[in-house]
Amino acid sequence: MILLHNLRAAIIGSLFYGVRAYEKSLRRSASPVARYFREKRVGLFTNSAQAELLAMSTSLYREICRPIVIPGRTSKGKSFYGYACFDRMLRSRLVRCRFDYLVYVDEDCFLADAEALLGVVKHFVENDYGFCGMPDGGVCRVRRHNPVAINPFFSIFNLRQIARVYDQQEVRRTVFDDSLRRFTPTSLLHAAHGVPADPPPAEQPLAYDDFEPYYRIFFYLLRMGLKPLYLDADTSPLDPTGITTCLMDHRGRALCHHTWYARHFATDPVQRARIEGVFESVRAAAAKG
């Protein structure tokens, strides 16, 4: 119980100072993204367990803002990510008080186009969506699980809508059932449930499963009537291994590149070199304008 209390205190303290620094950075920025985020009370969050990787990804927001960082580890070394992190952000009184919308980006997800970011957030707000992201099956080659849920490496949440319906206990009890299949974003599924790879797409059936603990959040929000905005994705041209995913905005423009395997960044030289290579390509493209 003491450890749980300390964890909550650490997160609340980190949130408080992170929110203050974020709001200050928005006020100082002349970026159109920053102006819109101030006007619409949009918070930009990330979750980090790798300081070096965090510094890389957040450098791409330098002209916009200073993202709010949720620590990926406690002082005791306990991991804090995935379902626990999203549940905490969506329930936080501080977050709900200061923001109407929440944009979340993983630390190994590199922003490619600030205009695309602004465009997709505007589209989300103006059309009153409930949540947004890439389906976690049938869209990119490395994820073949449930297409009704999203993989939230880049995600947007309508906090005003969520605050009215979110019940932590009900969310915890939520599992997938066939009534949710109607939300399958069929138009985004590549080559009938997969992209060309080994084995062939015909042997890559979608898994309408509960693979990730955070799925339950999206299943619950769908059952409560929130409207999803599913985004398309493809294999990133910046990664010769074919692992990195390029997420598109609602108009099909490259929005960000998600490298996956952040947990291996500090321990696996091959993965580190691959992730650094994608980052350098994104940074070079941004420098060219």
Side-chain angles (χ1 to χ4, degrees), residues 19-215:
V19 167
R20 288 185 62 183
Y22 171 77
E23 292 176 333
K24 185 176 182 179
S25 70
L26 286 183
R27 291 192 296 271
R28 289 180 170 179
S29 175
S31 161
V33 180
R35 289 198 299 270
Y36 186 79
F37 280 16
R38 286 198 308 269
E39 176 189 344
K40 297 298 182 180
R41 289 165 42 92
V42 179
L44 179 62
F45 288 74
T46 190
N47 179 222
S48 175
Q50 308 272 356
E52 189 175 355
L53 188 54
L54 176 68
M56 290 162 57
S57 60
T58 56
S59 71
L60 299 171
Y61 298 91
R62 187 169 292 124
E63 301 301 318
I64 302 172
C65 66
R66 176 180 174 179
I68 301 163
V69 180
I70 306 296
R73 292 190 181 278
T74 69
S75 60
K76 301 292 185 179
K78 181 179 175 62
S79 295
F80 187 77
Y81 67 97
Y83 169 73
C85 179
F86 284 101
D87 176 67
R88 172 57 63 181
M89 288 190 294
L90 296 177
R91 289 190 302 109
S92 167
R93 293 181 182 177
L94 174 62
V95 172
R96 290 178 178 179
C97 176
R98 304 296 268 271
F99 305 114
D100 291 332
Y101 303 93
L102 187 157
V103 177
Y104 173 85
V105 189
D106 270 354
E107 64 179 337
D108 62 341
C109 183
F110 303 132
L111 178 68
D113 188 336
E115 289 186 6
L117 172 63
L118 177 58
V120 75
V121 174
K122 279 187 174 181
H123 180 72
F124 181 90
V125 171
E126 291 169 0
N127 290 277
D128 207 28
Y129 285 102
F131 65 88
C132 169
M134 184 196 79
D136 206 30
V139 174
C140 76
R141 65 177 293 181
V142 298
R143 299 299 291 186
R144 300 167 185 166
H145 289 277
N146 201 320
V148 172
I150 68 168
N151 189 298
F153 64 83
F154 174 92
S155 45
I156 311 173
F157 298 89
N158 188 324
L159 295 176
R160 292 183 297 180
Q161 292 184 8
I162 291 171
R164 291 196 292 266
V165 302
Y166 199 88
D167 183 316
Q168 185 185 34
Q169 297 306 316
E170 289 299 319
V171 171
R172 285 178 175 174
R173 288 192 286 267
T174 298
V175 295
F176 183 82
D177 65 42
D178 284 345
S179 69
L180 293 170
R181 283 178 180 258
R182 70 185 188 277
F183 295 105
T184 302
T186 307
S187 64
L188 297 182
L189 304 187
H190 294 181
H193 305 187
V195 292
D198 292 323
E203 300 174 25
Q204 300 172 3
L206 293 177
Y208 284 94
D209 56 14
D210 295 281
F211 180 70
E212 297 283 5
Y214 56 71
Y215 282 5

